[in-house]
Amino acid sequence: MKNIRNFSIIAHINHGKSTLSDRLIQAAGIISDRDFQAQILDTMDIERERGITIKSQAVSLPYTANDGRTYTLNLIDTPGHVDFTYEVSRSLASCEGVLILVDASQGVEAQTVANLYMAMDHDLEIIPVINKIDLPAADVESAKDQIEDDLGLDPDGAILTSAKEGIGIDELLEAIVARLPAPVGDPANPLQALIFDSHYDAYRGTIIHCRIFEGAVRTGETIRFMSNGATYRVEEVGIFQIERVRKEMLSAGDVGYIIAGVKTVSDTRCGDTITNDDRPSPSPLPGFREIKPVVFSSIYPVASDGYEDLAIAVEKLKLNDASLVYEKDTSAALGFGFRCGFLGLLHLEIVQERLEREFDLSLIITSPSVKYHFMMNDGTAMIIDNPSLYPDPAKIAATQEPYIRASIMMPDRYLGAVIKLCLDRRGVNAKHQYIGSKRIELACELPLAEVIYDFYDRLKTVTHGYGSFDYEVLDYRDGELVKLDILINGEKVDALSQLVHRDAAYQRARYACEKLKEEIPRQMFKIAIQGAIGAKVISRETISAYRKDVTAKCYGGDITRKRKLLEKQKKGKRRMKMVGSVMIPQSAFLAVLKRDTE
């Protein structure tokens, strides 16, 4: 075990984590130059296009150090986005040390600090790495100052690298061997293995990614998942070296995979502990919790006959994404679909994009919502994430909505614009502190419902791309929530209903009515578009009717001839208005969801 090093790389988005992983893999020589491709640990097209890591990966790298000994370096890659914080925490729990990556041109950013605290919670050895030193805008001295002031780490111990150019990789590998501790554990003890990830293979079932803390696991043994008591027979164990490499056994300190005929990914819960069925561990490893969705939205097929295809696609996607939660849903306007729970807005976007790309579907996503708590007059409590389930307002005693603590880092010249943005989104307890000569950290408490729409986009706009954002969910607080209904020709369109704060209801209703007026085509009769809270209409737009010139064929003669034709037209229009139904184009639903960017 003294020749094993288990480590992870943590960083803010876009600080070069995947590129650094590529250089370490190339230095280990486990893949030929011909087969190599950039972002080799990012296996999905979306990851490559967006430059983000969605699914964490693990890889075992053989490395011969300067002391002549051969070490096994187990790199456990982590997702970079705040939505996947729990997966990051489980990956860190599998390590003894981390490399904390700082971009020499950007400096320390919000998620760098958040991930550092997470690494400290797990009591890990930390090596600071300053990346992108080859850029013209690189300021290594400033980055060192920020490592000392913001992170409280020794800047003299920072390794200077350029992952793109391959500078400093040898020094980094030596630092990993010299400065990170070897794992501890006893192969003779009862098995304790931590699941930090899993993925689905069409031929073998679920591939469990795990770190062995105590004991050993061999092919043919029976294992037990400690969270649900399920037992399985081990078919194969091994390590990851880009491809799976089969081994006789995995023992304490190893990172690898177990194949045990598990049918679905949702059976293998991230953070769960695996033990032997015949000689179980007395207690599971700490830190396990169920992953709970934060943002809720409904997904419908554009064409009503696409429901069967959508049902098959969601079921297959669930095999690869255990954190996706869904149930059947129906809407009078959009037909049959699914109500889904997501870890955050990025997770929602990724699921939508994967469904559209991998399964060739056209989808409509309803307005994202969060979980609200309702206290009723009779003392009961309700938790609601769907506007269609909103109870009778007369029976509601109090409503509560989730709040988050946002941490925003930016140059000090943007402070005024960012504070205004937070106050516009009902932010409270805004505090700021200087974390450098010209950089500020702003902490603010915000309702989650105000953040899930377009807060991140607006933040990037007002800070010209220099602002970075990280958040954690705090608690539920009282808020005056109302259900905003959109009526078209007096009929409610349930797919456009939203739960909003009373103060924001008028602006949201006015914006929705204006957008729908632009998108819905004109008819032969007037169309009224209204935003209403209960029976009270708070906003209205009218789409005027086409006017057919029925008197065009009437040449000369008495005025009563023309009046007779106009009266006949008026009767026809009245009848048409009474029975006419308005077709709402799909673009109208999408237009209402996109918030105004003014």
Side-chain angles (χ1 to χ4, degrees):
M1 273 198 295
K2 63 179 182 295
N3 289 352
I4 296 175
R5 299 290 184 271
N6 297 321
F7 71 100
S8 188
I9 305 174
I10 53 177
H12 193 78
I13 299 169
N14 243 351
H15 281 204
K17 190 157 57 71
S18 295
T19 313
L20 184 62
S21 302
D22 288 349
R23 294 294 86 76
L24 295 175
I25 289 165
Q26 278 185 308
I30 60 171
I31 188 166
S32 66
D33 289 342
R34 195 178 85 171
D35 295 332
F36 185 80
Q37 55 179 336
Q39 290 174 253
I40 194 156
L41 291 180
D42 294 343
T43 50
M44 283 189 269
D45 290 342
I46 302 172
E47 291 181 310
R48 294 175 177 282
E49 286 169 22
R50 292 184 174 221
I52 57 174
T53 301
I54 297 163
K55 283 288 280 182
S56 64
Q57 303 284 338
V59 62
S60 294
L61 309 173
Y63 172 65
T64 304
N66 291 342
D67 60 10
R69 284 156 56 181
T70 299
Y71 292 84
T72 299
L73 310 182
N74 291 318
L75 165 59
I76 301 169
D77 194 20
T78 56
H81 198 273
V82 66
D83 284 3
F84 307 108
T85 302
Y86 178 60
E87 283 94 323
V88 175
S89 79
R90 294 302 84 208
S91 295
L92 294 183
S94 306
C95 301
E96 278 77 39
V98 293
L99 310 180
I100 189 156
L101 209 58
V102 177
D103 186 329
S105 60
Q106 302 271 350
V108 171
E109 297 200 66
Q111 274 168 257
T112 320
V113 178
N115 287 335
L116 173 79
Y117 288 146
M118 214 182 295
M120 286 178 166
D121 286 344
H122 290 93
D123 199 22
L124 303 181
E125 186 66 36
I126 300 165
I127 301 177
V129 180
I130 299 175
N131 192 26
K132 304 190 184 181
I133 60 170
D134 60 310
L135 292 181
D139 187 346
V140 174
E141 289 309 312
S142 172
K144 282 187 173 181
D145 290 344
Q146 289 179 34
I147 286 171
E148 186 171 25
D149 298 340
D150 306 349
L151 305 181
L153 302 175
D154 179 11
D156 296 330
I159 311 290
L160 305 184
T161 65
S162 167
K164 187 178 176 185
E165 301 294 331
I167 300 167
I169 301 301
D170 292 337
E171 292 89 334
L172 182 58
L173 286 165
E174 282 299 317
I176 291 168
V177 169
R179 292 162 60 178
L180 298 187
V184 293
D186 187 348
N189 285 344
L191 175 65
Q192 269 191 331
L194 174 72
I195 300 174
F196 62 83
D197 199 10
S198 56
H199 74 273
Y200 187 75
D201 184 285
Y203 301 103
R204 305 300 304 272
T206 300
I207 313 292
I208 304 162
H209 303 216
C210 62
R211 154 74 197 275
I212 315 294
F213 279 90
E214 298 282 351
V217 60
R218 296 171 182 80
T219 304
E221 292 182 346
T222 303
I223 56 170
R224 184 197 301 172
F225 293 160
M226 294 190 78
S227 70
N228 54 16
T231 58
Y232 299 95
R233 187 176 173 79
V234 178
E235 296 172 6
E236 185 183 320
V237 298
I239 60 171
F240 294 103
Q241 289 192 332
I242 306 302
E243 301 294 328
R244 296 197 299 270
V245 178
R246 189 170 187 156
K247 294 284 183 185
E248 286 298 313
M249 60 178 274
L250 294 176
S251 64
D254 286 334
V255 173
Y257 68 87
I258 298 174
I259 300 174
V262 183
K263 295 290 186 289
T264 61
V265 168
S266 50
D267 290 343
T268 59
R269 299 170 182 176
C270 184
D272 196 0
T273 304
I274 300 173
T275 190
N276 290 115
D277 188 42
D278 54 353
R279 195 164 69 108
S281 169
S283 62
L285 293 161
F288 171 71
R289 61 182 171 85
E290 295 280 353
I291 297 179
K292 290 188 171 62
V294 175
V295 175
F296 298 84
S297 183
S298 293
I299 298 178
Y300 298 96
V302 166
S304 56
D305 59 355
Y307 174 73
E308 290 299 325
D309 293 337
L310 176 60
I312 293 166
V314 170
E315 203 171 315
K316 283 185 177 176
L317 189 63
K318 172 73 175 172
L319 290 174
N320 266 315
D321 188 352
S323 52
L324 174 65
V325 177
Y326 68 92
E327 60 184 21
K328 289 180 181 177
D329 194 18
T330 180
S331 157
L334 299 175
F336 292 102
F338 292 96
R339 185 76 180 170
C340 300
F342 306 94
L343 299 176
L345 271 196
L346 177 78
H347 190 209
L348 186 155
E349 276 181 48
I350 287 162
V351 168
Q352 180 188 359
E353 207 163 321
R354 287 185 70 183
L355 286 171
E356 289 177 341
R357 282 186 184 197
E358 296 173 21
F359 303 98
D360 198 25
L361 300 174
S362 297
L363 303 173
I364 295 172
I365 306 284
T366 62
S367 181
S369 169
V370 298
K371 271 188 177 173
Y372 297 102
H373 290 182
F374 290 83
M375 266 52 80
M376 314 307 285
N377 289 329
D378 60 2
T380 58
M382 294 177 70
I383 298 176
I384 286 174
D385 59 62
N386 193 338
S388 63
L389 302 175
Y390 184 74
D392 180 356
K395 296 179 180 176
I396 298 172
T399 55
Q400 291 184 325
E401 58 181 333
Y403 267 69
I404 62 162
R405 180 185 287 112
S407 171
I408 303 165
M409 289 190 174
M410 65 209 149
D412 56 1
R413 61 183 179 275
Y414 301 117
L415 179 63
V418 173
I419 286 180
K420 182 179 182 303
L421 173 66
C422 292
L423 293 177
D424 288 346
R425 301 301 167 92
R426 298 190 284 128
V428 293
N429 297 340
K431 299 171 186 167
H432 67 271
Q433 61 178 17
Y434 273 87
I435 52 173
S437 58
K438 292 186 177 178
R439 283 173 63 77
I440 277 185
E441 180 181 14
L442 175 71
C444 186
E445 294 170 8
L446 292 155
L448 180 58
E450 296 288 341
V451 174
I452 61 172
Y453 281 93
D454 61 347
F455 182 83
Y456 191 61
D457 291 342
R458 297 287 302 128
L459 175 68
K460 285 292 182 189
T461 302
V462 300
T463 61
H464 298 147
Y466 287 105
S468 64
F469 172 68
D470 191 75
Y471 70 86
E472 58 178 323
V473 178
L474 286 177
D475 51 14
Y476 276 78
R477 300 182 188 177
D478 291 339
E480 204 174 346
L481 298 170
V482 292
K483 182 186 178 188
L484 173 64
D485 289 312
I486 303 296
L487 289 76
I488 295 181
N489 256 8
E491 290 183 21
K492 284 183 186 175
V493 182
D494 55 354
L496 294 175
S497 297
Q498 300 174 36
L499 290 176
V500 297
H501 193 270
R502 187 178 289 278
D503 295 346
Y506 170 67
Q507 287 89 341
R508 200 75 68 83
R510 193 186 70 178
Y511 176 71
C513 291
E514 287 171 357
K515 279 294 175 188
L516 287 169
K517 184 180 179 181
E518 292 171 16
E519 296 291 336
I520 295 175
R522 288 169 70 190
Q523 308 285 337
M524 294 299 291
F525 51 92
K526 272 186 188 176
I527 301 172
I529 303 170
Q530 297 166 310
I533 297 172
K536 183 182 178 184
V537 175
I538 59 172
S539 176
R540 174 180 171 130
E541 293 286 342
T542 305
I543 301 175
S544 52
Y546 281 126
R547 186 175 181 280
K548 185 181 177 187
D549 193 357
V550 290
T551 60
K553 62 178 185 278
C554 198
Y555 297 103
D558 192 47
I559 187 68
T560 52
R561 288 181 65 202
K562 288 187 178 181
R563 196 169 291 144
K564 184 179 170 186
L565 289 170
L566 291 169
E567 287 295 327
K568 190 176 174 185
Q569 183 192 36
K570 196 184 287 183
K571 279 182 188 172
K573 278 198 174 181
R574 198 175 298 129
R575 190 169 62 248
M576 191 188 279
K577 188 177 183 180
M578 201 162 54
V579 299
S581 63
V582 182
M583 290 297 291
I584 305 172
Q586 312 304 342
S587 58
F589 290 97
L590 300 175
V592 172
L593 299 190
K594 289 175 183 166
R595 283 277 290 275
D596 210 347
T597 53
E598 288 174 10

